[in-house]
Amino acid sequence: MIPARCLTTCEDDEEDNTRVALILGEKPVCGIKNLLMAPKIKLSSGYEMPVLGLGTANMRGYQCLTAIHCAVETGFRHFDTAYVYENEREVGEALRTQIQMGNVSRENIFLTTKLWNIHHDPREVRRICEKQLEALGFDYIDLYLMHFPVGFTHLCDEILYPKQDDKVQLSDVDYIDTWRAMEELVKLGMVRSIGVSNFNMEQVQRIIQCSSSKPVVNQVEVWPGFMQKDLVDYCRYNGIVVTAYAPIGQPDRETHTPIYFFSEGMRRLVKKYKRTPAQIVLRYLIDYGVVPIPKAANPLHIKENLNIFDFQLTEEDRRLLKGIKPKDRLIKFEEAAEHPFYPFEREDERDRRTEEFEKEDGTPKRASAAAPADGPAEGEEGGE
């Protein structure tokens, strides 16, 4: 759970309680004078970050613009984008429009973007960050993350996955050298805080040991079937906030996956709390101590995702969610699996671990629970 001493409210943000301009032809969810906003957690850099954000992976063009506009008018202040998402320009345009309309100030926006794998060469870091600032239209970035510990060969800025013979071309740049170049961005005032994404425990530890500053954030996949407890605990011990992407597990109504999302147990929680499955999961993850960034483009889902701070799960219900059987990660970046810095378990290692577990547990390898044929699905939060 995020300690109460680390959380602040948004009640003193005067500009956030003024009249909200309506560009989508509908009233704000909480009325003119009472926008609901997420509490904030203090990062080790001294800056504050809202404990809930809006993810924008796979959102482009008009869909991205309208999602950002709706999110700001609903009360979101934390936005997550990346160079590889190819939507920084739309994210920046929508946020700047909201600032110009007087709905929010730049100081009350927390904007995260990421350094992509083709730009790991330390000589590239400042140049590409300047390009990202230009696309966003801002003077600084609140949080700049190294998207992945593995670098790709740089051919040009537009080729995000350089390939030869259908294989991504990997580079041998050490992420420690990339990190040191990112530290210079803080000194230059281009970014306020720096962190990492998709780093495992050993890689985070190596940065702490080999650098003058530690990451303020590690953004990784966390959802009820993939909680990464050891990594989360390690980061928490070292004062590193964990941001959770794909926090709901990418629910799919057609395949009824993940199973927990469509289960009878989840339906009981929905009935008990009168909340959607997504709201229950987001509330659970915040209580667990991570910062979820669900992706949503539908205005209803955007509003629902933020409307989670007026209820709490009982300890018994948190234990129920904690007891969900662990699953494999959703986002595997398998194109980089041959690199020595690949941060995840490789497929052969997963298979070996699964076989050992099943031998001890006595569970048939292909056994799985049947999912009910009905049940709500948000179906809107994606991964990296």
Side-chain angles (χ1 to χ4, degrees), residues 103-369:
N103 293 342
V104 66
S105 70
R106 175 64 184 94
E107 280 301 308
N108 281 306
I109 291 171
F110 190 92
L111 180 59
T112 299
T113 192
K114 309 177 190 76
L115 177 79
W116 183 233
N117 305 349
I118 59 174
H119 298 123
H120 275 210
D121 188 324
R123 295 167 296 184
E124 285 285 300
V125 172
R126 178 175 176 178
R127 179 191 68 82
I128 202 62
C129 185
E130 289 173 344
K131 183 175 180 178
Q132 290 175 271
L133 282 168
E134 181 182 358
L136 291 163
F138 290 124
D139 296 328
Y140 66 89
I141 295 163
D142 294 280
L143 178 61
Y144 197 51
L145 305 179
M146 195 187 317
H147 207 145
F148 201 64
V150 176
F152 295 169
T153 300
H154 179 257
L155 301 179
C156 67
D157 291 345
E158 290 70 38
I159 300 179
L160 303 176
Y161 292 87
K163 291 186 177 181
Q164 185 175 353
D165 299 326
D166 290 329
K167 281 191 174 183
V168 173
Q169 298 302 292
L170 308 177
S171 78
D172 59 358
V173 177
D174 191 330
Y175 58 83
I176 294 294
D177 297 328
T178 309
W179 177 258
R180 288 170 180 161
M182 291 173 63
E183 289 179 316
E184 293 301 312
L185 302 179
V186 179
K187 296 175 184 177
L188 292 168
M190 298 168 65
V191 305
R192 287 186 165 182
S193 304
I194 53 176
V196 295
S197 181
N198 298 298
F199 275 54
N200 63 33
M201 199 184 310
E202 291 76 16
Q203 291 167 334
V204 173
Q205 183 177 25
R206 184 166 174 248
I207 285 186
I208 293 173
Q209 293 174 339
C210 299
S211 309
S212 59
S213 62
K214 65 183 178 184
V216 303
V217 160
N218 187 14
Q219 184 179 125
V220 297
E221 179 183 329
V222 176
W223 54 283
F226 193 73
M227 295 297 284
Q228 301 216 67
K229 184 180 185 302
D230 289 344
L231 177 60
V232 171
D233 287 348
Y234 176 80
C235 288
R236 184 183 292 125
Y237 177 81
N238 284 281
I240 299 168
V241 174
V242 171
T243 301
Y245 68 75
I248 306 169
Q250 298 183 344
D252 188 314
R253 184 176 282 120
E254 290 186 4
T255 61
H256 284 88
T257 55
I259 291 174
Y260 89 89
F261 195 81
F262 301 92
S263 67
E264 181 61 35
M266 179 58 77
R267 284 205 294 270
R268 285 197 295 268
L269 294 179
V270 167
K271 184 177 181 180
K272 176 179 179 178
Y273 291 100
K274 295 180 172 59
R275 301 291 170 135
T276 68
Q279 288 175 310
I280 289 167
V281 171
L282 293 174
R283 177 75 252 186
Y284 168 64
L285 291 177
I286 288 172
D287 290 342
Y288 179 62
V290 300
V291 176
I293 49 168
K295 189 198 85 171
N298 183 308
L300 176 62
H301 295 155
I302 290 172
K303 294 172 185 179
E304 287 176 346
N305 287 349
L306 188 60
N307 189 26
I308 60 172
F309 297 103
D310 58 350
F311 82 102
Q312 281 196 323
L313 301 171
T314 65
E315 181 62 32
E316 180 183 2
D317 291 335
R318 285 199 294 267
R319 283 200 302 269
L320 177 70
L321 289 166
K322 185 178 180 182
I324 291 171
K325 185 177 179 180
K327 309 293 182 184
D328 284 341
R329 68 172 65 248
L330 300 169
I331 314 298
K332 299 177 181 178
F333 284 99
E334 289 178 330
E335 62 269 19
E338 296 179 4
H339 198 282
F341 292 151
Y342 183 67
F344 308 145
E345 251 187 343
R346 291 173 174 82
E347 188 173 358
D348 57 340
E349 296 170 337
R350 285 197 302 272
D351 291 344
R352 188 163 55 248
R353 176 175 53 82
T354 301
E355 288 174 3
E356 291 173 356
F357 173 79
E358 287 164 353
K359 191 178 294 183
E360 294 174 4
D361 190 51
T363 304
K365 187 168 185 178
R366 297 296 178 184
S368 62

